[in-house]
């Protein structure tokens, strides 16, 4: 058998192997689109997360188009005390992973609906009840062994509907509750390394916020031996072409100073908004405020007019 015949035979076998692999991939894709396949993927995902996190995780349904779309319904996660940490009625995202091997991921759209988040930390523990999630996915390698290309994440539309956020922070001494009917934005630029965010627009409707400050147990100042970290490169820088906040209500109560503030705003809109956390700088080309009402109550200490002077 000459070299040409051998090459021809090898070519035929390689072609058969490639066709077989493509058929297996096609069958796998078809299988995943069936209800049985979706249930299989859901079961594997739930089992993995429960084993990884060491707590209860539930997902009602999963729909996957591997290269373009992911949809989850009925997501439920408990904390280590078997209490609700997070529940999501709907999470749907459309993305492009064609450049994932170049450390690029493009997420065109994210939709979240019927979300409930319950965060808390105890008086003598600086860690929140979600810390176990971060610990579970931490490899322990703090320094990269080789230089790697930074990951580039591109975001687009973000829509959040019917959000309920509750945080009981006994360590810092505060209770926070936020309800949001609708939050919509389009992120035109996002840099994870420097926390620079640019939005084409940001629209909200019916944000109700309650803040109750009570005083906590955390140290008022770091000790001399406490390590310090330079976070200047991670300070948030946010810009937006258009911002419209409709039907907002903020209630602030400070038990230590007996201060109570209630602010209601029918509409707050702005153009060319800039916020720089590091410099504590905020600016806008224009602002519109309508339907605004703020009530402030301060409990003062009565003066003792009968006191005698010696």
């Amino acid at each position: 058998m000459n070299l040409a015949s051998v090459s021809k035979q090898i070519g035929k076998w390689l072609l058969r192997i490639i066709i077989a692999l493509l058929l297996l991939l096609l069958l796998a894709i078809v299988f995943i689109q069936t209800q049985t396949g979706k249930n299989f993927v859901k079961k594997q995902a739930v089992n993995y997360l429960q084993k990884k996190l060491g707590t209860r995780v539930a997902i009602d349904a999963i729909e996957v188009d591997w290269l373009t779309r992911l949809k989850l319904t009925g997501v439920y996660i408990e904390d280590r005390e078997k209490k609700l940490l997070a529940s999501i009625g709907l999470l749907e995202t459309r993305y492009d992973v064609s450049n994932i091997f170049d450390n690029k991921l493009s997420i065109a759209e994210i939709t979240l609906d019927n979300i409930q988040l319950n965060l808390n930390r105890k008086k003598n523990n600086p860690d929140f009840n979600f810390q176990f999630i971060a610990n579970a996915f931490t490899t322990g390698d703090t320094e990269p062994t080789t230089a790697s290309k930074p990951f580039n994440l591109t975001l687009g539309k973000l829509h959040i509907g019917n959000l309920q956020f509750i945080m009981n922070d006994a360590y810092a001494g505060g209770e926070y509750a936020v309800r949001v009917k609708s939050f919509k934005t389009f992120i035109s630029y996002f840099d994870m390394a420097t926390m620079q965010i640019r939005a084409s627009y940001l629209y909200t409707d019916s944000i109700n916020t309650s803040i109750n400050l009570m005083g906590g147990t955390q140290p008022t100042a770091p000790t001399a031996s406490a390590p310090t970290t330079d976070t200047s490169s991670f300070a948030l820088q946010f810009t937006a072409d258009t911002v419209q906040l409709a039907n907002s209500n903020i209630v602030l109560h400070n038990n230590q100073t007996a201060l109570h503030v209630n602010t209601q705003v029918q509409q707050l809109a702005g153009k060319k908004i800039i916020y720089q956390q590091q410099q504590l700088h905020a600016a806008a080309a224009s602002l519109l405020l309508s339907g605004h009402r703020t009530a402030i109550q301060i409990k003062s200490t009565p003066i003792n007019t009968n006191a005698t002077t010696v």
Side-chain angles (χ1 to χ4, degrees):
M1 184 178 291
N2 57 31
L3 182 61
S5 298
V6 173
S7 299
K8 188 175 182 180
Q9 291 294 328
I10 292 175
K12 288 181 179 180
W13 280 106
L14 287 175
L15 181 60
R16 291 174 182 175
I17 292 172
I18 292 173
I19 292 174
L21 291 175
L22 289 175
L23 287 174
L24 287 175
L25 179 60
L26 179 61
L27 289 174
I29 293 174
V30 172
F31 172 72
I32 291 171
Q33 301 309 314
T34 65
Q35 191 59 48
T36 302
K38 293 175 182 177
N39 290 336
F40 174 80
V41 173
K42 180 186 73 172
K43 182 178 179 181
Q44 296 302 314
V46 169
N47 289 342
Y48 170 78
L49 290 174
Q50 288 193 143
K51 183 177 180 181
K52 189 74 173 177
L53 300 177
T55 187
R56 184 191 171 200
V57 177
I59 301 175
D60 288 345
I62 294 180
E63 295 182 18
V64 182
D65 296 330
W66 288 107
L67 300 179
T68 58
R69 175 178 170 268
L70 171 66
K71 180 179 178 181
L72 304 178
T73 56
V75 179
Y76 177 92
I77 303 175
E78 289 184 349
D79 62 18
R80 287 291 176 81
E81 295 185 348
K82 300 183 182 299
K83 297 178 180 179
L84 173 64
L85 174 62
S87 67
I88 304 174
L90 170 66
L91 187 159
E92 185 170 10
T93 178
R94 298 184 182 275
Y95 50 83
D96 179 7
V97 296
S98 59
N99 296 316
I100 193 68
F101 294 108
D102 291 329
N103 282 355
K104 295 180 180 179
L105 175 61
S106 176
I107 301 179
E109 186 174 355
I110 301 176
T111 301
L112 295 163
D113 196 21
N114 291 325
I115 311 142
Q116 184 173 350
L117 300 175
N118 294 333
L119 308 185
N120 66 75
R121 59 178 174 174
K122 301 185 182 300
K123 286 185 177 181
N124 300 317
N125 187 354
D127 292 336
F128 281 96
N129 60 331
F130 61 83
Q131 183 62 40
F132 71 97
I133 298 179
N135 295 340
F137 291 97
T138 300
T139 61
D141 297 330
T142 57
E143 297 182 1
T145 55
T146 58
S148 60
K149 186 178 179 180
F151 194 85
N152 186 350
L153 176 63
T154 303
L155 299 177
K157 293 181 180 179
L158 172 62
H159 179 205
I160 299 175
N162 302 308
L163 166 67
Q164 178 178 330
F165 171 83
I166 296 175
M167 184 171 75
N168 293 322
D169 189 357
Y171 184 77
E175 296 177 344
Y176 308 84
V178 180
R179 292 179 181 270
V180 181
K181 181 179 179 181
S182 178
F183 177 97
K184 297 180 180 180
T185 187
F186 183 90
I187 306 299
S188 56
Y189 178 79
F190 176 63
D191 189 334
M192 290 190 299
T194 60
M195 284 306 295
Q196 295 186 41
I197 303 174
R198 287 202 296 266
S200 299
Y201 61 80
L202 191 155
Y203 304 142
T204 69
D205 184 21
S206 300
I207 295 182
N208 295 296
T209 303
S210 174
I211 303 173
N212 187 15
L213 303 178
M214 301 172 292
T217 59
Q218 84 280 17
T220 57
T223 60
S225 59
T228 58
T229 303
D230 181 13
T231 60
S232 59
S233 60
F234 300 97
L236 174 65
Q237 299 182 57
F238 175 79
T239 61
D241 294 334
T242 302
V243 173
Q244 293 183 11
L245 313 180
N247 305 313
S248 302
N249 183 29
I250 301 175
V251 176
L252 169 65
H253 183 74
N254 190 324
N255 287 333
Q256 293 180 310
T257 61
L259 171 67
H260 183 83
V261 179
N262 188 338
T263 295
Q264 299 175 355
V265 178
Q266 185 176 357
Q267 182 182 18
L268 174 61
K271 299 285 187 180
K272 304 298 181 183
I273 304 297
I274 300 174
Y275 172 72
Q276 297 175 336
Q277 181 183 9
Q278 185 67 23
Q279 291 82 17
L280 294 178
H281 171 74
S286 63
L287 286 175
L288 170 65
L289 178 65
S290 64
H292 168 256
R293 176 181 178 273
T294 295
I296 301 176
Q297 296 179 351
I298 301 176
K299 184 178 180 180
S300 59
T301 303
I303 300 175
N304 187 0
T305 56
N306 298 323
T308 57
T309 303
V310 179

